[in-house]
């Protein structure tokens, strides 16, 4: 072995070896081993990896290597989520083509990932912008269309003006675009939708079986799907054959409904007012409210506003004429976009009624003093007994819920139903860099799906990307103009592209059969490898990617392409990588290297330390992984990411922590280099019995097997790599202390090698380059990564130790932990050498030492 640890040389050597030998390529053939599929969420090819990537992919790589050493047949692929708005925006900014920008970035990032030594099967690499991928996705679209799971409708949608595209509800965060952060407004457009609501109940019930998922993700999905049990009630519109249907969880309050509120997005808002004097006022109100943030509109402290439509509907049980209002607090996303207003028993309705002078009718009375509608200052929303409710008066309101619904059902004016907060997934996007929707619009035949024989519908290369507000494809006649496959007349292609979350909703299954060209999936291979055993990614995908992937898996199941329900058996959501921010009053945010001795290196002004936040380019609190690896090596970067925090917690960047990881690797290297003769000359085929009194050897073996047991448990049960690494560090410290003893005892030499080999193998998944180099340098057979994972012997690992109290002149001055079989002489030596005891006996005559076996050492001075 070389005397000095040179990470760059070592790492390039082993990365070249793995690449040349395709060390991580895995066959689809069943060879009797248990399969294990580990997958990290694939990256968007932005051009450079960041420390969040390094942490996420290191976690997955450790699991993959660990499982391989345990004898599993491991699938660990990598690919690129390569469609999307950033590529299109970057192409406009840099005057290039999105494809050129994307694939250049893929080349850069692939090289970066290989430089960190990840164990990917690169033969399975895919990019969602490859026509071979999205062309097969178009086949899935057509199959879904045939099943009635795809439809087109005119709808108000979330519109991001900055990105010039539609956003799904899940992509709007606090009223802002999930990608650019700008405000989202409402816009009416034709939209292609996936019928995810068809699977709402199954998606919700399936959460109970996801025992390997974090509870936080389960809760977020459960709340997003949002199942409510209630009633649908029909309110006839006065002087019309039309009716307004509402969903309510409070049919017990029906007799108190005095007006109707409908959402501004509801088509009835304009329709009902069209022939009334209110038409202009309604249109102005709707236009104004649709510019408002939906999050604000649903908040409790919203100032309730509305406008009368000029129309009335009829309460089906009281026959009251109820004025129909358009109200800013009613959302189209909930129920039917219409709410029967019961101001006496709903606070929002109460506030609205007081503002507009509408009737308040009490129908639930609490025990005690009766409610007076005129004197009420807030709505009564608790349980009680019905009043003013005809035949139902006197019933407890919970009992009345069912009876009133049954009464309505008998006359066809209502029914029991289940409502879901989840809405169908709008997938239309008005951008170029996405998968074309395989549909043709014919003036004679209407909507015509592209025949499967004519797939793929390929993105044209020559387009103008400067068009805003609609798809650039609309201005590409070579793409748009076509003929109808049914009647042969001139027709036009659909110019919207699919939401890029569609591509990420099935990529994990495609990895099982990336060479399959005649179908989206090879069912046999998919069913062999999937579900994914361990999926790793950010919590921010809880109600977008993770929900869509669960939906898509069920669709593919029903299309006969696979035979399981859930895509991911276990889910690990890793924390963020955070770092302290720095700024200068004159220069703004500063990169870490721009701060020198508390001053801004650019202007010399004061550099102010800010909060520790998620690493971001905008705040410049970032560390370039390439620079880190160039200085310390990939193994140090990996080890730090694993050691600094448990994977589910945020990791706070610490330069000293990086240096500490580097020093530990150097210590391991020196231990091997300085004791290479000892490690190479000892056989560990069968272990000698340690000589009588050789407690050091026994303790060393016990520490070795305890460490193996702890590291295995920490990885297997909780992926707490930080405590696993700490245990190996302790073992290495024991080895340094054990070296002199090992060289004096034959059994000790064997124990030293056993412990050192175990330390190397336990670290191999975490720091594979240096471990392979040490393993080879010591003349070991094969690769470290191909060795069986060390197994702890419970009998050896058993804590065969006792605690001894040490007294000096009758007072407790220290405690010792010693081997239970240690003889009195050895215990006496340990007691006199104890650091806690030394200050009390140093320089003084030892008159007497009494050893009480396994209990006490009494020193008299």
């Amino acid at each position: 072995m070389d005397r000095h640890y040179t990470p760059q040389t070592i790492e390039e050597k082993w990365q070249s070896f793995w690449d040349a030998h395709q060390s991580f390529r895995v066959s689809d053939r069943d060879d009797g081993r248990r399969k294990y599929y580990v997958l990290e969420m694939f990256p968007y090819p932005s051009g450079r990896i960041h420390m969040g990537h390094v942490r996420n992919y290191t976690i997955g790589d450790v699991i993959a290597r660990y499982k391989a050493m345990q004898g599993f047949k491991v699938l660990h692929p990598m690919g690129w989520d390569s469609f999307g708005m950033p590529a299109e925006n970057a192409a406009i900014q840099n005057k290039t083509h999105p494809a050129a920008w994307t694939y250049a970035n893929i080349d850069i990032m692939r090289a970066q990932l290989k430089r960190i030594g990840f164990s990917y099967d690169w033969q399975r690499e895919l990019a969602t912008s490859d026509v071979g991928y999205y062309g097969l996705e178009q086949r899935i679209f057509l199959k879904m269309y045939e099943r009635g799971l795809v439809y087109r409708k005119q709808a108000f949608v979330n519109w991001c003006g900055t990105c010039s595209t539609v956003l799904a509800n899940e992509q709007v965060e606090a009223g802002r675009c999930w990608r650019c952060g700008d405000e989202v407004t409402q816009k009416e457009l034709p939209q292609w939708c996936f019928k995810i609501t068809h699977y709402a109940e199954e998606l919700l019930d399936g959460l109970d079986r996801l025992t390997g998922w974090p509870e936080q993700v389960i809760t977020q999905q459960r709340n997003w799907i949002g199942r409510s049990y209630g009633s649908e009630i029909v309110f006839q519109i006065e002087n019309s054959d039309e009716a307004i249907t509402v969903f309510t969880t409070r049919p017990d309050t029906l007799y108190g409904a005095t007006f109707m509120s409908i959402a501004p997005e509801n088509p009835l808002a304009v329709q009902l007012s069209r022939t009334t004097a209110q038409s202009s006022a309604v249109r102005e109100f709707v236009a104004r409210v649709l510019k408002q943030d939906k999050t604000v509109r649903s908040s409790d402290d919203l100032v309730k506003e509305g406008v009368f439509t000029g129309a009335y509907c009829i309460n089906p049980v009281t026959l009251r004429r109820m004025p129909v209002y358009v109200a800013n607090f009613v959302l189209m996303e909930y129920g039917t976009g219409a709410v029967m207003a019961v101001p006496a028993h709903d606070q929002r309705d109460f506030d609205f009624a007081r503002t507009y002078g509408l009737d308040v009718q009490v129908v639930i009375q609490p025990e005690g003093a009766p409610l007076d509608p005129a004197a009420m200052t807030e709505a009564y929303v608790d349980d009680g007994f019905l009043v003013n409710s005809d035949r139902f008066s006197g019933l407890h309101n919970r009992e009345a819920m069912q009876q009133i619904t049954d009464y309505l059902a008998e006359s066809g004016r209502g029914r029991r139903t289940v409502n879901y907060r989840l809405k169908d997934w709008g997938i239309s996007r008005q951008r170029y860099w996405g998968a074309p929707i395989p549909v043709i619009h014919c003036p004679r035949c209407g909507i015509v799906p592209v025949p499967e024989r004519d797939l793929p519908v390929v993105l044209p290369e020559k387009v103008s990307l400067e068009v805003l507000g609609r798809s650039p494809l609309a201005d590409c006649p070579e793409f748009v103009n076509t003929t109808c496959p049914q009647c042969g007349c001139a027709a036009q292609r659909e110019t919207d592209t699919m939401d890029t979350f569609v591509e990420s909703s099935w990529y994990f299954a495609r990895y099982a059969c990336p060479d399959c060209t005649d179908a989206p999936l090879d069912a046999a291979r998919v069913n062999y490898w999937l579900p994914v055993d361990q999926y790793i990614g950010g919590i921010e995908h809880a109600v977008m990617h993770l929900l869509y992937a669960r939906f898509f898996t069920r669709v593919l199941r029903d299309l006969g392409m696979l035979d399981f329900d859930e895509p991911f058996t276990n889910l690990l959501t890793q924390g963020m990588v955070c770092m302290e921010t720095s700024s200068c009053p004159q220069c703004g945010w500063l990169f870490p290297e721009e701060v020198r001795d508390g001053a801004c290196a650019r202007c010399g002004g004061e550099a102010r330390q800010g909060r520790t936040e998620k690493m971001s380019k905008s705040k410049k609190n970032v560390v370039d992984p390439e620079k880190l690896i160039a200085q310390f090596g990939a193994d140090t970067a990996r080890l730090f990411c694993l050691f600094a925090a448990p994977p589910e917690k945020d990791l706070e960047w610490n330069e000293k922590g990086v240096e500490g990881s580097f020093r530990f690797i150097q210590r391991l290297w020196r231990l091997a280099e300085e004791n290479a003769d000892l490690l190479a000359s000892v056989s560990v085929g069968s272990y000698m019995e340690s000589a009588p009194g050789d407690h050091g050897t026994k303790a060393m073996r016990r520490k070795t097997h305890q460490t193996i047991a702890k590291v295995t448990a920490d990885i297997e049960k909780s992926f707490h790599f930080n405590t696993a690494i700490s245990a190996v560090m302790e073992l290495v410290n024991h080895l340094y202390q054990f070296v002199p003893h090992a060289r004096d005892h034959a059994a000790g030499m064997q124990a030293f090698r056993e412990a050192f080999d175990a330390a190397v193998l336990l670290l191999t998944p975490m720091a594979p380059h240096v471990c392979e180099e040490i393993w080879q340098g010591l003349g070991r057979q094969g690769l470290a990564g191909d060795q069986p994972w060390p197994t702890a012997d419970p009998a050896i690992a058993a804590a065969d130790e006792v605690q001894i109290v040490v007294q000096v002149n009758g007072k407790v001055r220290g405690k010792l932990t010693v081997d239970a079989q240690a003889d009195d002489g050895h215990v006496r030596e340990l007691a006199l050498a104890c650091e806690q005891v030394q200050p009390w006996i140093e320089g003084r005559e030892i008159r007497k030492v009494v050893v009480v076996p396994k209990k006490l050492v009494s020193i008299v001075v």
Side-chain angles (χ1 to χ4, degrees):
M1 287 182 60
D2 292 339
R3 182 171 182 79
H4 299 290
Y5 169 56
T6 54
Q8 285 71 25
T9 302
I10 293 169
E11 289 166 3
E12 288 175 10
K13 167 187 170 180
W14 287 103
Q15 288 158 17
S16 296
F17 177 91
W18 295 328
D19 197 42
H21 291 79
Q22 297 185 2
S23 298
F24 310 113
R25 186 174 185 177
V26 63
S27 167
D28 297 320
R29 181 176 53 83
D30 187 351
D31 57 8
R33 289 181 292 166
R34 290 177 296 168
K35 73 91 180 175
Y36 193 89
Y37 185 0
V38 58
L39 181 66
E40 308 93 59
M41 293 179 186
F42 65 168
Y44 181 79
S46 58
R48 292 288 185 276
I49 63 171
H50 52 68
M51 288 308 302
H53 289 132
V54 175
R55 187 187 192 198
N56 186 19
Y57 302 148
T58 297
I59 291 169
D61 194 57
V62 172
I63 297 170
R65 290 175 179 272
Y66 165 72
K67 287 295 182 180
M69 293 178 72
Q70 282 194 317
F72 285 85
K73 182 179 181 180
V74 175
L75 173 60
H76 188 207
M78 175 50 69
W80 313 97
D81 191 9
S82 50
F83 268 145
M85 288 182 288
E88 194 166 334
N89 294 339
I92 294 171
Q93 182 178 352
N94 298 312
K95 300 188 183 305
T96 185
H97 194 279
W101 187 85
T102 297
Y103 287 100
N105 287 348
I106 287 175
D107 290 341
I108 293 170
M109 292 180 69
R110 184 191 303 110
Q112 289 180 309
L113 294 179
K114 287 187 175 183
R115 179 63 187 86
I116 306 174
F118 296 133
S119 58
Y120 295 130
D121 181 353
W122 287 105
Q123 301 298 315
R124 297 174 185 263
E125 181 183 11
L126 60 81
T128 58
S129 55
D130 288 347
V131 67
Y133 185 89
Y134 72 76
L136 294 171
E137 183 172 280
Q138 290 170 345
R139 289 200 198 185
I140 298 173
F141 179 97
L142 294 180
K143 296 294 184 185
M144 293 175 67
Y145 186 81
E146 292 172 5
R147 291 286 188 101
L149 294 172
V150 181
Y151 64 94
R152 192 172 189 252
K153 69 173 183 177
Q154 195 77 10
F156 282 95
V157 294
N158 303 305
W159 179 259
C160 176
T162 303
C163 297
S164 297
T165 194
V166 171
L167 302 174
N169 289 338
E170 294 87 347
Q171 296 164 343
V172 180
E173 300 173 350
R176 295 186 175 275
C177 174
W178 73 286
R179 187 176 293 280
C180 74
D182 284 355
E183 186 177 356
V184 172
T185 58
Q186 296 294 294
K187 188 173 184 177
E188 191 172 22
L189 290 172
Q191 282 291 292
W192 285 99
C193 299
F194 283 164
K195 207 168 185 179
I196 190 172
T197 53
H198 180 74
Y199 293 90
E201 185 172 2
E202 186 181 350
L203 288 168
L204 188 61
D205 293 342
L207 293 171
D208 293 332
R209 296 186 292 275
L210 294 177
T211 56
W213 284 39
E215 188 58 38
Q216 184 180 359
V217 177
I218 297 293
T219 300
Q220 286 189 46
Q221 287 208 9
R222 182 172 283 119
N223 292 341
W224 189 261
I225 296 170
R227 180 164 57 196
S228 300
Y229 295 96
S231 305
E232 274 188 0
I233 304 175
V234 179
F235 292 75
Q236 195 69 34
I237 298 173
E238 187 179 54
N239 300 322
S240 170
D241 294 333
E242 300 289 326
I244 299 174
T245 301
V246 304
F247 171 81
T248 179
T249 59
R250 296 296 307 276
D252 53 321
T253 65
L254 176 58
Y255 284 84
T258 60
F259 63 95
M260 179 71 67
S261 301
I262 61 176
E265 300 91 338
N266 195 320
L268 286 172
V270 174
Q271 180 181 326
L272 291 176
S273 64
R274 186 173 291 129
T275 59
T276 73
Q278 293 293 107
S279 178
S280 177
V282 169
R283 289 181 181 276
E284 289 176 5
F285 180 80
V286 168
R288 177 166 61 84
V289 174
L290 290 182
K291 295 178 182 178
Q292 296 176 355
D293 180 2
K294 282 186 182 179
T295 306
V296 174
R297 284 174 55 194
S298 61
S299 65
D300 291 336
D301 57 357
L302 173 76
V303 176
K304 310 301 186 293
E305 292 183 281
V307 62
F308 178 43
T309 63
Y312 292 84
C313 65
I314 307 301
N315 187 312
V317 292
T318 66
L319 303 183
R320 173 195 284 268
R321 292 177 78 227
M322 296 169 48
V324 180
Y325 278 77
V326 183
N328 64 343
F329 60 87
V330 181
L331 300 178
M332 199 66 194
E333 281 72 24
Y334 183 77
T336 63
V339 175
M340 69 173 200
V342 187
H345 305 293
D346 182 276
Q347 189 60 43
R348 295 182 309 167
D349 297 341
F350 182 88
D351 294 341
F352 193 89
R354 288 292 190 241
T355 299
Y356 292 95
L358 299 169
D359 289 347
V360 177
Q361 174 70 41
V362 173
V363 293
I364 298 178
Q365 286 283 6
E367 294 184 4
L371 297 173
D372 178 3
M376 291 175 69
T377 58
E378 62 181 6
Y380 178 73
V381 297
D382 296 325
D383 288 344
F385 293 88
L386 265 63
V387 295
N388 302 319
S389 299
D390 197 23
R391 70 180 69 183
F392 303 104
S393 293
L395 288 177
H396 191 275
N397 69 295
R398 294 290 169 180
E399 183 182 355
M401 287 181 180
Q402 291 191 10
Q403 292 198 24
I404 290 176
T405 302
D406 291 342
Y407 173 65
L408 292 169
E410 290 173 3
S411 59
R413 293 173 292 174
R415 66 187 180 95
R416 283 196 187 89
T417 188
V418 178
N419 186 69
Y420 292 93
R421 180 175 180 265
L422 179 70
K423 298 302 177 185
D424 284 338
W425 176 11
I427 65 159
S428 294
R429 298 295 178 266
Q430 293 66 44
R431 299 304 294 249
Y432 162 72
W433 193 235
I437 295 174
V439 164
I440 292 170
H441 299 279
C442 173
R444 291 182 184 175
C445 306
I447 293 175
V448 180
V450 174
E452 193 169 309
R453 65 177 182 275
D454 294 337
L455 296 180
V457 178
V458 180
L459 277 177
E461 291 188 9
K462 296 181 180 180
V463 292
S464 172
L465 301 178
E466 302 294 339
V467 179
L468 295 179
R470 59 195 175 99
S471 171
L473 293 174
D475 293 300
C476 181
E478 297 83 358
F479 176 82
V480 174
N481 297 327
T482 186
T483 57
C484 175
Q486 288 186 0
C487 70
C489 75
Q492 292 191 324
R493 294 190 187 279
E494 173 64 58
T495 57
D496 283 356
T497 54
M498 294 192 222
D499 182 1
T500 55
F501 277 98
V502 177
E503 283 79 69
S504 61
S505 294
W506 68 288
Y507 80 105
F508 45 86
R510 182 66 185 170
Y511 279 137
C513 52
D515 57 346
C516 179
T517 57
D518 57 353
L521 298 173
D522 178 343
R525 286 191 281 172
V526 171
N527 293 331
Y528 171 72
W529 281 115
L530 277 80
V532 175
D533 294 282
Q534 183 64 61
Y535 199 40
I536 304 163
I539 188 73
E540 67 272 15
H541 296 291
V543 293
M544 287 193 286
H545 164 58
L546 291 170
L547 181 60
Y548 296 152
R550 295 183 64 227
F551 158 63
F552 233 72
T553 298
R554 285 162 169 79
V555 170
L556 295 172
R557 176 201 63 195
D558 291 347
L559 293 175
M561 297 185 186
L562 46 81
D563 66 2
F564 47 89
D565 301 332
E566 295 290 349
F568 316 119
T569 302
N570 297 291
L571 173 68
L572 172 63
T573 53
Q574 88 285 352
M576 298 180 295
V577 180
C578 303
M579 187 178 185
E580 189 176 62
T581 55
S582 299
S583 63
C584 166
Q586 183 173 334
C587 302
W589 298 110
L590 301 175
F591 287 109
E593 59 269 22
E594 293 177 332
V595 179
R596 298 173 188 167
D597 298 324
C600 172
R602 291 160 60 187
C603 71
E606 178 189 4
R608 298 174 180 174
Q609 300 305 307
R611 294 187 306 173
T612 297
E613 300 183 37
K614 175 186 176 182
M615 284 189 175
S616 69
K617 294 178 182 177
S618 61
K619 295 185 177 179
K620 299 186 177 181
N621 60 333
V622 293
V623 172
D624 184 350
E626 287 192 307
K627 292 181 179 178
L628 175 70
I629 292 168
Q631 182 177 0
F632 294 104
D635 281 337
T636 293
R638 292 168 61 111
L639 207 62
F640 170 75
C641 287
L642 298 168
F643 184 61
E648 73 278 7
K649 303 292 186 182
D650 288 349
L651 182 157
E652 185 172 341
W653 182 262
N654 185 315
E655 188 72 29
K656 292 182 179 179
V658 176
E659 294 170 355
S661 295
F662 182 65
R663 285 196 301 271
F664 169 67
I665 294 176
Q666 286 181 312
R667 274 175 59 79
L668 182 69
W669 183 271
R670 284 198 306 273
L671 187 64
E673 190 274 329
E674 292 171 357
N675 297 281
D677 59 329
L678 176 60
L679 291 165
S681 63
V682 180
S683 171
V684 290
S686 59
Y687 286 94
M688 301 179 185
E689 288 292 329
S690 54
D694 184 3
H695 304 292
T697 296
K698 187 174 182 180
M700 186 72 254
R701 294 204 69 201
R702 181 166 55 248
K703 184 65 178 177
T704 300
H705 287 263
Q706 288 174 345
T707 302
I708 294 170
K710 177 167 177 53
V711 172
T712 304
D714 285 347
I715 296 176
E716 193 70 36
K717 295 179 182 177
S718 57
F719 298 136
H720 280 191
F721 307 113
N722 56 324
T723 53
I725 293 169
S726 179
V728 179
M729 289 177 171
E730 288 184 23
L731 180 62
V732 170
N733 288 340
H734 275 73
L735 279 166
Y736 267 98
Q737 298 169 7
F738 187 64
V739 169
H741 183 92
R743 291 188 176 277
D744 291 339
H745 299 78
M749 293 169 66
Q750 282 189 324
F752 182 84
R753 171 168 172 172
E754 177 192 34
F756 185 85
D757 284 4
V760 171
L761 294 178
L762 294 174
L763 280 175
T764 292
M766 305 168 196
H769 308 87
V770 67
C771 290
E772 290 290 2
E773 186 68 12
I774 291 173
W775 193 258
Q776 183 187 71
L778 295 176
R780 302 292 188 264
Q781 294 297 311
L783 299 175
D786 290 342
Q787 304 307 306
W789 183 254
T791 303
D793 185 329
I796 299 174
D800 192 13
E801 296 175 331
V802 294
Q803 190 173 69
I804 302 293
V805 172
V806 183
Q807 294 180 343
V808 178
N809 289 348
K811 292 186 177 181
V812 176
R813 299 302 187 186
K815 294 180 181 179
L816 295 171
T817 300
V818 302
D819 191 309
Q821 305 305 317
D823 58 38
D824 291 353
H826 183 63
V827 173
R828 182 181 188 278
E829 292 176 7
L830 292 174
L832 292 172
C834 178
E835 291 183 8
Q836 299 166 303
V837 173
Q838 278 292 312
W840 304 98
I841 64 174
E842 190 174 6
R844 305 176 70 178
E845 179 186 354
I846 305 297
R847 297 174 57 191
K848 188 177 183 181
V849 178
V850 177
V851 177
V852 179
K854 300 183 180 182
K855 290 184 179 181
L856 173 72
V857 175
S858 177
I859 304 172
V860 180
V861 296

